Amino acid sequence: MSMPKTNTAYDKASLGGSFTFPGTSVTVNRMGYGAMQLAGPGVWGPPRDPDAAVAVLRDAVSAGVNHIDTSDFYGPHVTNQIIRRALHPYPEELVIVTKVGARRRQDKSWIHDVSRQNLIDSVQDNLRNLELDALDVVNLRAWGNNGQAPGEELLAEPLTVLVELKRKGLIRHIGLSNVTPKQLAEAQTITEIVCVQNLYNVAYRDDDAFIDNLTEEGIAYVPFFPLGGFNPLQSAALDAVAASSGATPMQVALAWLLQRSPNMLLIPGTSSVQHLRENLQAAALTLPADTLAKLNTIATKSEQRVH
Ligand SMILES: NC(=O)c1ccc[n+]([C@@H]2O[C@H](COP(=O)([O-])OP(=O)(O)OC[C@H]3O[C@@H](n4cnc5c(N)ncnc54)[C@H](OP(=O)(O)O)[C@@H]3O)[C@@H](O)[C@H]2O)c1
């Protein structure tokens, strides 16, 4: 196990291979990019250096990234406006996935809002700020418990609004975020679901069984906080594997995810070109079975965690 020595460790064909969303002709490389880090501190307002944010996006796309995750409530509006500035007119193969179901207040807080009006306004905001006629994939963001762990709220009403917008041609495909298997099953009685975006990483694995089911169904699983999000991953096991493989801990965490299942699509977030390149190179790292076994000891069950 080692990282390739050349600085062309990634190319367009090696970003983790490709994945086609079920029932669609939409194919993306499994290593993508999450744009949340491009807004200012607290995901609010413009970044300190907007040109640097533009550079990250252009570098990602020129390296072959064709899956970018965003939302119009990042900034709000700012992240989508930076994406438009950096990449519009978009390459044909670029898939931009966005999410709706929340809004921001002036005090920077996040408000769950799946009212009909907010969903319609959010789709319109995404279309305007990204300068698109239709959104490739829209995730309905459920709130669950405190916004980070899924609950069991009913999704039928907001999903029906998204289906209506899909019929109007404003949305091409629908996904879910922060949901349980039961909520997915309910949603599938209403419309086709192409992806699930939940919190998951090498240290937080509440969705293991869910992921196995989604793999069988061919639905994409897109972990948010793949590197720990606002609390970056820290683990002695991760450090030890990284040290012995000539990779960084973050690269090992991403390589582990890519090897976890073939429907796993990665959207690590970064505001730095250097970190972006490092993250993309993780797709070239293959972890052998004994290393995977060591990494599989990192996670604790949610009932053992102190919240
Ligand atoms: N559905 C949802 O509810 C939801 C929630 C959260 C996020 N998301 C999506 O998921 C994406 C990923 O999540 P995230 O960005 O919050 O968290 P993440 O990818 O787990 O981690 C991002 C953090 O890791 C740092 N980082 C990235 N690459 C690094 C590297 N190679 N070495 C060291 N540090 C590194 C970043 O800082 P630097 O900027 O300094 O690199 C940033 O602080 C988001 O961008 C967003 O699109 C969705």
Side-chain angles (χ1 to χ4, degrees):
M1 170 185 59
S2 66
M3 292 299 292
K5 295 278 180 275
T6 69
N7 55 12
T8 53
Y10 57 85
D11 61 39
K12 291 186 186 201
S14 72
L15 292 176
S18 62
F19 178 89
T20 301
F21 291 98
T24 78
S25 53
V26 180
T27 298
V28 293
N29 291 321
R30 292 178 62 219
M31 184 64 91
Y33 172 73
M36 190 174 86
Q37 305 296 335
L38 296 183
V43 199
W44 186 267
R48 234 163 278 129
D49 184 351
D51 291 345
V54 165
V56 170
L57 286 161
R58 290 187 178 155
D59 207 80
V61 168
S62 69
V65 167
N66 57 10
H67 172 202
I68 293 178
D69 185 80
T70 186
S71 175
D72 209 68
F73 47 67
Y74 297 159
H77 316 301
V78 169
T79 297
N80 279 346
Q81 289 165 355
I82 292 173
I83 292 173
R84 181 184 63 192
R85 183 186 145 199
L87 302 175
H88 195 280
Y90 302 110
E92 204 174 319
E93 63 279 10
L94 182 65
V95 176
I96 299 179
V97 178
T98 190
K99 65 190 77 65
V100 295
R103 60 187 165 79
R104 306 293 294 277
R105 272 206 295 239
Q106 280 307 312
D107 64 2
K108 305 185 186 177
S109 58
W110 305 69
I111 305 298
H112 181 225
D113 188 346
V114 290
S115 64
R116 178 182 171 77
Q117 197 54 53
N118 187 54
L119 295 176
I120 292 171
D121 290 349
S122 300
V123 165
Q124 292 294 351
D125 285 348
N126 275 284
L127 288 169
R128 188 179 59 257
N129 287 310
L130 289 167
E131 203 177 334
L132 284 169
D133 297 327
L135 301 169
D136 293 319
V137 182
V138 174
N139 286 324
L140 175 64
R141 206 329 179 151
W143 215 242
N145 302 318
N146 301 322
Q148 282 210 4
E152 292 290 5
E153 76 253 43
L154 298 177
L155 300 180
E157 237 176 82
L159 264 181
T160 305
V161 178
L162 294 192
V163 169
E164 194 182 309
L165 298 173
K166 187 177 169 186
R167 278 204 203 101
K168 286 187 176 161
L170 302 182
I171 293 175
R172 296 203 177 94
H173 305 289
I174 295 174
L176 298 174
S177 179
N178 200 39
V179 293
T180 64
K182 194 172 157 200
Q183 286 173 311
L184 170 67
E186 179 209 0
Q188 286 173 312
T189 66
I190 297 164
T191 188
E192 301 82 17
I193 299 298
V194 301
C195 54
V196 169
Q197 187 174 119
N198 278 8
L199 201 173
Y200 183 81
N201 56 51
V202 68
Y204 186 99
R205 298 180 53 175
D206 286 7
D207 270 354
D208 269 330
F210 194 12
I211 290 169
D212 293 340
N213 293 341
L214 292 171
T215 309
E216 274 179 34
E217 289 195 61
I219 294 175
Y221 185 86
V222 191
F224 71 78
F225 295 163
L227 300 174
F230 297 111
N231 302 300
L233 293 171
Q234 281 184 312
S235 146
L238 204 54
D239 291 348
V241 168
S244 66
S245 62
T248 68
M250 295 310 192
Q251 287 176 320
V252 173
L254 294 173
W256 179 86
L257 282 170
L258 281 177
Q259 280 178 246
R260 171 63 183 78
S261 63
N263 59 332
M264 184 80 66
L265 306 184
L266 303 196
I267 50 163
T270 180
S271 54
S272 121
V273 167
Q274 191 196 326
H275 285 168
L276 169 79
R277 292 180 180 176
E278 197 179 301
N279 295 345
L280 299 184
Q281 284 175 348
L285 179 63
T286 303
L287 304 168
D290 60 332
T291 301
L292 292 174
K294 280 181 205 150
L295 296 171
N296 286 338
T297 64
I298 295 175
T300 50
K301 293 267 177 242
S302 56
E303 56 269 23
Q304 296 166 333
R305 252 177 254 134
V306 180
H307 289 280

